[in-house]
């Protein structure tokens, strides 16, 4: 009877959990709300047309979950065959990595997060979300 051979495997280091200061959370929320009001909503949000069958962005918001800050688009489903009249989809994620810096990721079509940038400040994250085509809702 053959025995199973044991092999060595490389395991990536686990990320250390870092605590997020309340002042930094407030700063991120304020700058994100300004970005949404000044740039993202005027550019991407529009009401659905009566004859339209495709989904369209009707609102953009944000949400904290642990050390992650998400940008979320709300879509309207005007089709009469739609399962739900609206749904939400996250399109950008800022992950706090320490020293007031964030890793910035976008949601792929496979529903997986893909990290594009690491070590960005809050202002750099907001500028990237505004200008980079990977972060379109």
């Amino acid at each position: 009877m053959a025995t199973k051979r044991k092999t060595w495997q490389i395991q990536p280091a686990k990320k250390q959990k870092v605590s997020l200061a309340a002042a930094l959370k407030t700063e991120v929320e304020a700058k994100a709300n300004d970005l949404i009001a000044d740039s993202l909503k005027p550019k991407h949000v529009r009401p659905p047309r009566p004859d339209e069958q495709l989904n369209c962005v009707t609102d953009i918001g944000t949400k904290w979950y642990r050390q992650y800050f998400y940008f979320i688009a709300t879509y309207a489903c005007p089709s009469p065959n739609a399962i739900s009249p609206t749904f939400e989809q996250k399109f950008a994620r800022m992950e706090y990595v320490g020293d007031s810096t964030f890793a910035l990721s976008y949601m792929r079509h496979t529903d997986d997060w893909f990290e594009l940038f690491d070590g960005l400040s809050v202002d750099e994250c907001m500028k990237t979300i505004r200008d980079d085509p990977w972060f379109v809702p």
Side-chain angles (χ1 to χ4, degrees), residues 91-109:
F91 65 92
R93 178 179 78 178
M94 294 171 58
E95 178 185 0
Y96 184 64
V97 292
D99 296 329
S100 299
T101 60
F102 293 85
L104 190 56
S105 305
Y106 77 97
M107 178 64 80
R108 289 178 43 99
H109 65 281

Side-chain angles (χ1 to χ4, degrees), residues 110-123:
T110 57
D111 282 343
D112 293 323
W113 288 104
F114 187 80
E115 185 177 310
L116 289 177
F117 303 100
D118 192 17
L120 297 179
S121 68
V122 175
D123 292 328

Side-chain angles (χ1 to χ4, degrees), residues 26-86:
T26 305
E27 177 189 358
V28 170
E29 288 173 1
K31 290 184 178 185
N33 289 334
D34 290 344
L35 172 68
I36 289 169
D38 297 341
S39 182
L40 296 180
K41 278 190 178 182
K43 193 174 182 180
H44 300 290
V45 174
R46 64 176 179 78
R49 288 184 232 130
D51 61 336
E52 191 169 37
Q53 298 291 315
L54 301 176
N55 301 335
C56 62
V57 179
T58 58
D59 195 20
I60 297 175
T62 60
K63 180 180 179 180
W64 276 105
Y65 182 70
R66 297 186 179 151
Q67 76 266 22
Y68 300 105
F69 186 70
Y70 295 99
F71 285 80
I72 304 167
T74 302
Y75 289 84
C77 306
S79 172
N81 300 327
I83 296 172
S84 172
T86 62

